[in-house]
Amino acid sequence: MRSYRAGLRHSGAHDAGLLLDSQEPGSIYEISGNECSLSTGDLIKVTCVRLQKVVCENPGTGQTMELAPNFQGNFSPLTGPQSYGTLEELVSAATQSSKQLPICFMSTHRITTKARVVPQEQPLKLEAVEMHLGTCCARCVLGTGAQQVILHLPLSQKGPFWELEPGPPRTLLQVLQDPALRDTILTCPALPWHSLTLMPQYEVEAIMHLRRTIVKIPSTLEVDVEDITASSQHIHFIQPLLLSEALARGGPFPLPTEILEVPEGPPIFLSPWLSSLRKGQRLCIYGVASPPWRVLASTKGRKVPRHFMISGAYQGKLRRRPREFPTAYDLLGALQPGQPLRVVATKDCEGDGLENPGFMSLAMGDRLEVLGSGQALGVQERDMNVLVCQRLSDQPGEEECEEAEDQEQILLPLHFSGGFVEELGDGRRYSLQDLIAQFPLPCEVKVVAKDASHPDDPLPSFLGLRLEEKIMEPFLVVSLDSNPEMCFEVPPRWLDLTVVEAEGQPSQPAGPLPVVPVEELTEAFYYHLRKSPAFEGQAPPPRPPKSKGLSGQKKQVSKAKGVKSSEAFELQEPPLMPKPKRKTLRKVIKDSCNLYSAIPGHKKGLRPTKPITQDTNDEHNYEEILEQFPKTL
């Protein structure tokens, strides 16, 4: 058993499958925003070791630089940090240390001889010391193989010289993979320093018990671990798995699993199998459901509608129902190119020709054909969007005999709310797939024949369904291990269970899987779907313009208030000049048989006031009467 300290980089963890036992009381680290903790006794199975970078350090100055893993320079190991000033010092040091020739060395400066020039930091091999042309020289070999060159360098040749370990230069990966060269001083001609050390930094990928994701540990983490690989081959690591991960990796299926955790939150389905999804329940995942689309539907004719998600594999038969349109805007949204849309008015509507140009009235039972959108001159001479319709005869089929110019066209503002129902003569029975392919959504239908594979099909019991939206979402076909005949479809996006692979062979039902094609949704989940991006692109209906009549009334009221206030001010200040008399109140009483009695103009204690006259504005008379009424009290 091996123990390691000062980080996993010393553990020799290049072998995948290494089992380590943490000996630390507790170590918490964070890298790239992910926090992980290691406690005493935690088992770690190293599955991969990735080289991130190499830190190069100058041992003399402490300077550092980073090298990429694909660095192309070659390295040669030095025997020590000491350099020699001349060749004679190098040979003397080798003799004193009882080293046998040949030895390898290099010079940090360029050496010039009569034969050739030796570049700096070029490795040389010193084979012997001998006399050459009357001078004691070192016989050196430059190069390897067939291109060797013999050089005679005098022992007085100045350096500095560095002694090298014997052997050819090595690449960066070769140095890192050689345990004998760990913490060895090296030299590299491609780097600015003559001596250096390499400190690699790795990222260790490992798995741990009951941890779903792969743990990534930096090799610089200071932690005590022990190698227990030889004694722990029988240990099986439990690695959790999300349903979304099983869907992403695509198998293999069928996959026996056991539930470890159910996501918190309100339920999404009102289904009996939902209560069976609890910790410890064994499931069998058979694969991806086909087809991958669903239809969102709601019931019609109920005070509290119910909502369903219908699988594309639904085998029931459906018949189209007439659609209902509360406003002209809904009619425009339902109009499709090349498909005529004829409707019948469901209530009487009186229109104002000034506010709704071209529209006088609609009676219950009037038949219209929707032609398209247009523009008309509306309130305050502004352009407004309208729906162009054509009034049809009371009996279907008679309009084909009439001339186009004799048919009446009417314009409906898009905000007009009248109530319309589609005139439909289609009595065919459609499958869900054919209906979706031929008609746009939303669509009103009635289920006239239930799905034979689903005896408890609830859809035929409703008076009508509104097919609202087609949803593309992958589902997984799942069954309970205790009841293989109960198969259902689970959406990992909204019900992402945490499971673990279980042992044993799953039981395969005989014949096709009895999957439930209809799931009832909870109200909260239904409105969650309605807020999804698939529905956010729908434009809101237009805002109705302000009514001209109401605005006119407001202006008249404000004008009348202004007249009252101005007249009250005049009553407080007597006029300097008498105003010309108009028609008196007595004449008004005689002409219009008013019930008001005549009030004398002069009484005791009362000063004369201006004559009571009738203006074209009716409110003026009432103000003059009120002026004298408090003076008579």
Side-chain angles (χ1 to χ4, degrees):
M1 181 181 296
R2 292 175 292 174
S3 298
Y4 307 103
R5 177 64 183 171
L8 293 177
R9 59 190 173 93
H10 295 294
S11 65
H14 296 280
D15 300 326
L18 181 68
L19 287 175
L20 302 177
D21 183 12
S22 175
Q23 302 296 312
E24 285 285 330
S27 178
I28 300 177
Y29 72 93
E30 182 177 354
I31 184 170
S32 301
N34 298 321
E35 185 178 282
C36 179
S37 62
L38 297 177
S39 302
T40 303
D42 282 350
L43 293 180
I44 308 168
K45 183 177 182 180
V46 178
T47 58
C48 182
V49 178
R50 302 181 187 277
L51 179 64
Q52 298 295 311
K53 61 183 178 180
V54 179
V55 178
C56 179
E57 181 181 1
N58 186 339
T61 62
Q63 293 178 305
T64 60
M65 67 171 57
E66 293 185 3
L67 302 180
N70 58 350
F71 180 71
Q72 299 299 319
N74 293 324
F75 296 85
S76 297
L78 301 177
T79 57
Q82 182 181 2
S83 61
Y84 304 95
T86 61
L87 279 178
E88 185 175 2
E89 294 179 5
L90 176 62
V91 173
S92 176
T95 304
Q96 292 178 1
S97 60
S98 303
K99 289 185 179 179
Q100 301 293 328
L101 299 180
I103 60 174
C104 297
F105 70 99
M106 71 169 189
S107 173
T108 56
H109 293 80
R110 186 176 58 178
I111 301 176
T112 303
T113 64
K114 294 181 180 179
R116 61 179 306 160
V117 175
V118 180
Q120 62 180 5
E121 299 185 359
Q122 179 68 42
L124 296 170
K125 182 187 294 186
L126 195 156
E127 293 184 335
V129 177
E130 59 185 16
M131 297 297 296
H132 180 70
L133 300 179
T135 305
C136 186
C137 297
R139 188 180 68 197
C140 302
V141 178
L142 176 63
T144 58
Q147 298 181 353
Q148 292 184 353
V149 178
I150 304 298
L151 299 177
H152 288 84
L153 301 178
L155 294 181
S156 59
Q157 180 71 42
K158 293 184 178 181
F161 299 102
W162 296 79
E163 184 179 357
L164 305 176
E165 293 287 348
R170 299 170 176 83
T171 63
L172 177 62
L173 294 181
Q174 289 174 341
V175 172
L176 298 180
Q177 294 173 358
D178 190 350
L181 297 180
R182 185 175 299 156
D183 299 329
T184 300
I185 299 178
L186 307 169
T187 184
C188 178
L191 297 177
W193 304 322
H194 304 311
S195 61
L196 52 93
T197 56
L198 299 179
M199 295 178 293
Q201 294 186 7
Y202 300 95
E203 183 181 68
V204 180
E205 294 186 2
I207 59 175
M208 300 177 64
H209 267 307
L210 298 177
R211 190 181 294 271
R212 182 177 55 82
T213 57
I214 295 178
V215 180
K216 297 182 178 180
I217 307 175
S219 61
T220 55
L221 178 66
E222 297 291 335
V223 58
D224 282 339
V225 294
E226 290 185 1
D227 182 5
I228 57 173
T229 305
S231 60
S232 305
Q233 294 297 324
H234 62 285
I235 296 179
H236 176 67
F237 281 78
I238 299 177
Q239 188 174 6
L241 179 71
L242 291 175
L243 289 187
S244 57
E245 296 173 343
L247 176 66
R249 75 183 189 182
F253 298 117
L255 179 65
T257 60
E258 181 179 331
I259 298 179
L260 291 180
E261 184 180 0
V262 179
E264 297 180 356
I268 62 175
F269 295 142
L270 298 175
S271 304
W273 53 263
L274 197 65
S275 60
S276 301
L277 300 182
R278 54 184 179 271
K279 184 177 180 180
Q281 175 67 53
R282 294 175 68 92
L283 304 175
C284 182
I285 304 175
Y286 292 101
V288 183
S290 179
W293 55 274
R294 305 288 184 279
V295 175
L296 196 63
S298 297
T299 59
K300 300 286 291 184
R302 297 174 61 93
K303 292 184 178 180
V304 180
R306 296 168 64 180
H307 312 287
F308 297 90
M309 184 176 290
I310 308 175
S311 170
Y314 182 73
Q315 297 300 318
K317 295 299 180 181
L318 305 93
R319 183 176 291 155
R320 295 177 63 202
R321 293 182 70 252
R323 291 173 289 178
E324 297 178 2
F325 306 99
T327 65
Y329 175 78
D330 297 304
L331 286 175
L332 180 61
L335 184 62
Q336 297 294 325
Q339 297 182 6
L341 178 59
R342 296 180 178 181
V343 296
V344 179
T346 58
K347 62 181 180 180
D348 298 335
C349 302
E350 295 293 336
D352 185 358
L354 297 178
E355 295 190 14
N356 304 332
F359 168 55
M360 299 307 296
S361 65
L362 280 179
M364 183 174 61
D366 282 354
R367 300 174 61 242
L368 303 176
E369 181 174 357
V370 182
L371 301 181
S373 62
Q375 284 193 338
L377 195 63
V379 182
Q380 299 179 357
E381 298 185 354
R382 293 181 180 178
D383 289 339
M384 62 183 300
N385 296 325
V386 296
L387 182 68
V388 182
C389 300
Q390 181 174 280
R391 194 190 300 269
L392 303 177
S393 63
D394 295 338
Q395 298 297 328
E398 294 183 3
E399 63 274 0
E400 298 178 359
C401 304
E402 298 179 2
E403 297 295 335
E405 58 270 11
D406 296 336
Q407 295 177 346
E408 179 184 1
Q409 282 193 355
I410 60 176
L411 307 179
L412 301 179
L414 294 184
H415 65 275
F416 172 75
S417 58
F420 306 90
V421 63
E422 184 179 14
E423 189 178 85
L424 189 63
D426 186 4
R428 294 176 53 192
R429 291 156 47 117
Y430 297 89
S431 67
L432 181 62
Q433 184 174 1
D434 293 339
L435 188 70
I436 297 300
Q438 296 182 31
F439 302 100
L441 297 181
C443 181
E444 306 283 344
V445 298
K446 173 72 173 72
V447 179
V448 295
K450 68 178 182 179
D451 189 340
S453 64
H454 184 30
D456 299 330
D457 186 0
L459 301 184
S461 62
F462 301 112
L463 295 177
L465 286 177
R466 177 180 172 87
L467 306 183
E468 297 175 338
E469 188 70 20
K470 182 178 180 181
I471 301 175
M472 299 295 297
E473 186 68 30
F475 281 59
L476 288 176
V477 180
V478 179
S479 72
L480 300 178
D481 185 70
S482 57
N483 187 7
E485 299 299 327
M486 179 184 287
C487 291
F488 46 90
E489 296 177 347
V490 177
R493 178 181 176 185
W494 301 306
L495 188 58
D496 205 2
L497 303 174
T498 302
V499 299
V500 62
E501 295 187 31
E503 298 179 355
Q505 293 295 328
S507 56
Q508 184 76 23
L513 296 174
V515 180
V516 178
V518 180
E519 297 290 355
E520 185 172 359
L521 308 179
T522 62
E523 187 175 6
F525 181 61
Y526 167 76
Y527 287 109
H528 171 75
L529 289 179
R530 296 295 293 180
K531 292 191 299 182
S532 63
F535 297 93
E536 290 179 356
Q538 299 179 0
R543 182 179 181 181
K546 294 181 179 179
S547 174
K548 183 178 179 181
L550 292 177
S551 61
Q553 292 177 8
K554 291 181 179 179
K555 290 182 180 179
Q556 292 178 4
V557 171
S558 62
K559 184 177 180 181
K561 289 182 179 179
V563 173
K564 290 181 180 179
S565 61
S566 62
E567 290 181 356
F569 181 78
E570 287 182 359
L571 294 178
Q572 295 175 4
E573 296 291 337
L576 298 178
M577 298 293 295
K579 294 185 179 180
K581 294 183 179 180
R582 306 181 210 176
K583 188 182 295 185
T584 62
L585 181 61
R586 294 178 181 272
K587 189 173 182 180
V588 173
I589 297 174
K590 291 180 179 180
D591 296 342
S592 59
C593 299
N594 199 320
L595 297 179
Y596 287 102
S597 60
I599 300 177
H602 300 279
K603 281 192 176 183
K604 183 178 180 180
L606 297 176
R607 63 179 183 179
T609 60
K610 69 177 184 178
I612 303 175
T613 60
Q614 181 183 11
D615 200 353
T616 56
N617 189 354
D618 295 337
E619 295 179 353
H620 187 69
N621 299 327
Y622 293 100
E623 290 183 3
E624 290 186 349
I625 293 173
L626 293 175
E627 176 188 2
Q628 293 202 14
F629 182 72
K631 296 178 183 179
T632 61
L633 298 179

